[in-house]
Amino acid sequence: MFRDEVQAFMRQFQKDLYQALEACDGGATFSADEWQHESGGGGISRVIEGGNVLEKGGVNFSAVEGELSPAFMKMLLMPDPNYFATGVSVVMHPHSPMVPITHMNVRYFEAGDGQAWFGGGIDLTPIYLDLKQAKEFHEQMKAVCDKHHPSYYPEFKKWADDYFYNEHREETRGVGGIFFDRLSANEEFTIEERFAFVKDVAYAFIPFYTSIMNQNRDLPYGEREKQWQLLRRGRYVEFNLVYDRGTKFGLLTKGRIESILMSLPTHASWIYNFTPEPGSAEEQTQAYLKKEINWLQVQ
């Protein structure tokens, strides 16, 4: 069955990714926490804490099945209440405010009537913006998209801008990236071609993020930078609890709460009515937290 092939890929990708991150961090290992879903299937949550670079991070695999409630079925526009879902979800929170937070996930859904699609994405949340790294990140995202179709990068970049957006703050979560959902077979693409794209997205993440870890891990910082990091982490928490579809899906399908909320940092902060100091590095980063920036042309 096609779903078995996809599930096997997700399992292998989780293993390859956590081992690469573990080797890059060099100071801690990922724990393995296997769990079962009440309606069928389960997963393995792998979490790292207290590493040399990574304060907290998760690389979660799941493959679950069940039946959605009518209300949730309507919210997700599901054609059938029965579902199978498998994927890998990743969030990394480094110690250093000079190393960006990152998120990625790849996922596959199959409805009871046989309709199936892929989703996923990668985005980057720098605490202090490095324009060169932001540009290189988007160049890498464009390259993996262009390999499969020229429409992918502009479409999925805009989708990321719109999705990774704290509407109540009127600011993006970071510098965006790519985001896509409901990539199904149609007149232009087979489901196998969609799968090939998703596999390339997954494996593009490993060299991209380990490279940034190595470039930034030894950059100096002080208490001011840590306080700004805690505030930016707070905005990250706001997005994940208010808007993130994966969080909502996990909660509403009675998923394992520890795995669902592994995306939250160990420490975060909220300061009432905080405004960055004029002309500061914090203000400069804040100024770029908006949609429709052409990151391929920033200087």
Side-chain angles (χ1 to χ4, degrees):
M1 292 176 64
F2 184 66
R3 70 161 66 173
D4 294 334
E5 180 183 352
V6 177
Q7 181 176 335
F9 166 78
M10 297 295 181
R11 284 184 180 276
Q12 185 61 49
F13 173 58
Q14 183 201 32
K15 180 179 179 181
D16 292 344
L17 177 55
Y18 90 76
Q19 289 181 344
L21 290 168
E22 201 172 79
C24 184
D25 181 89
T29 58
F30 280 82
S31 63
D33 188 6
E34 192 164 356
W35 52 272
Q36 300 297 315
H37 193 276
E38 63 176 27
S39 64
I44 304 173
S45 297
R46 290 193 174 272
V47 175
I48 189 170
E49 294 180 293
N52 286 339
V53 180
L54 300 171
E55 181 178 305
K56 180 186 177 186
V59 180
N60 288 353
F61 160 79
S62 63
V64 298
E65 55 189 315
E67 184 174 333
L68 299 175
S69 68
F72 198 33
M73 180 182 167
K74 182 179 180 180
M75 186 179 81
L76 288 180
L77 304 176
M78 288 286 285
D80 186 284
N82 296 294
Y83 74 91
F84 168 79
T86 186
V88 173
S89 181
V90 181
V91 175
M92 295 291 134
H93 291 287
H95 288 288
S96 169
M98 315 315 290
V99 183
I101 302 167
T102 193
H103 151 268
M104 77 87 61
N105 79 87
V106 284
R107 58 188 184 275
Y108 171 77
F109 280 85
E110 189 176 291
D113 66 351
Q115 295 188 54
W117 58 86
F118 288 95
I122 303 175
D123 73 295
L124 191 66
T125 304
I127 308 303
Y128 287 92
L129 178 61
D130 181 320
L131 287 175
K132 179 176 179 290
Q133 287 183 346
K135 181 178 181 179
E136 290 173 348
F137 166 57
H138 276 270
E139 287 172 343
Q140 291 174 54
M141 294 301 97
K142 185 176 186 297
V144 73
C145 287
D146 286 353
K147 179 180 174 182
H148 295 269
H149 199 273
S151 70
Y152 274 6
Y153 176 74
E155 180 182 351
F156 299 160
K157 188 267 185 190
K158 183 182 185 306
W159 208 337
D161 282 353
D162 293 338
Y163 181 69
F164 298 112
Y165 187 69
N166 268 332
E167 189 76 39
H168 59 283
R169 299 280 189 182
E170 297 185 344
E171 67 180 33
T172 56
R173 189 165 80 173
V175 300
I178 57 173
F179 178 81
F180 50 90
D181 200 8
R182 292 185 178 263
L183 296 190
S184 58
N186 57 26
E187 293 180 355
E188 193 171 7
F189 300 99
T190 66
I191 196 68
E192 289 79 13
E193 288 170 331
R194 299 294 204 186
F195 187 25
F197 168 64
V198 166
K199 288 191 281 190
D200 282 348
V201 169
Y203 278 95
F205 179 79
I206 296 174
F208 140 68
Y209 194 63
T210 53
S211 175
I212 283 189
M213 286 172 65
N214 285 328
Q215 289 175 57
N216 293 19
R217 63 195 297 160
D218 296 324
L219 295 177
Y221 63 88
E223 184 59 28
R224 177 192 179 106
E225 289 77 19
K226 283 297 294 183
Q227 289 303 312
W228 176 241
Q229 180 192 46
L230 293 177
L231 286 168
R232 297 312 313 166
R233 284 180 176 180
R235 303 293 173 87
Y236 202 93
V237 170
E238 290 175 23
F239 176 86
N240 278 25
L241 295 183
V242 177
Y243 300 111
D244 187 78
R245 294 179 190 173
T247 301
K248 290 180 179 180
F249 179 82
L251 294 174
L252 291 172
T253 56
K254 298 183 180 180
R256 184 172 181 272
I257 191 65
E258 288 298 323
S259 298
I260 296 165
L261 298 184
M262 70 86 188
S263 62
L264 303 184
T266 305
H267 304 286
S269 179
W270 290 263
I271 296 176
Y272 182 75
N273 204 25
F274 178 85
T275 303
E277 182 179 321
S280 65
E282 294 80 14
E283 185 186 58
Q284 292 169 19
T285 295
Q286 184 86 42
Y288 277 94
L289 300 179
K290 56 187 179 182
K291 300 181 183 181
E292 300 178 3
I293 294 176
N294 186 342
W295 294 102
L296 299 173
Q297 294 184 356
V298 295
Q299 300 297 323

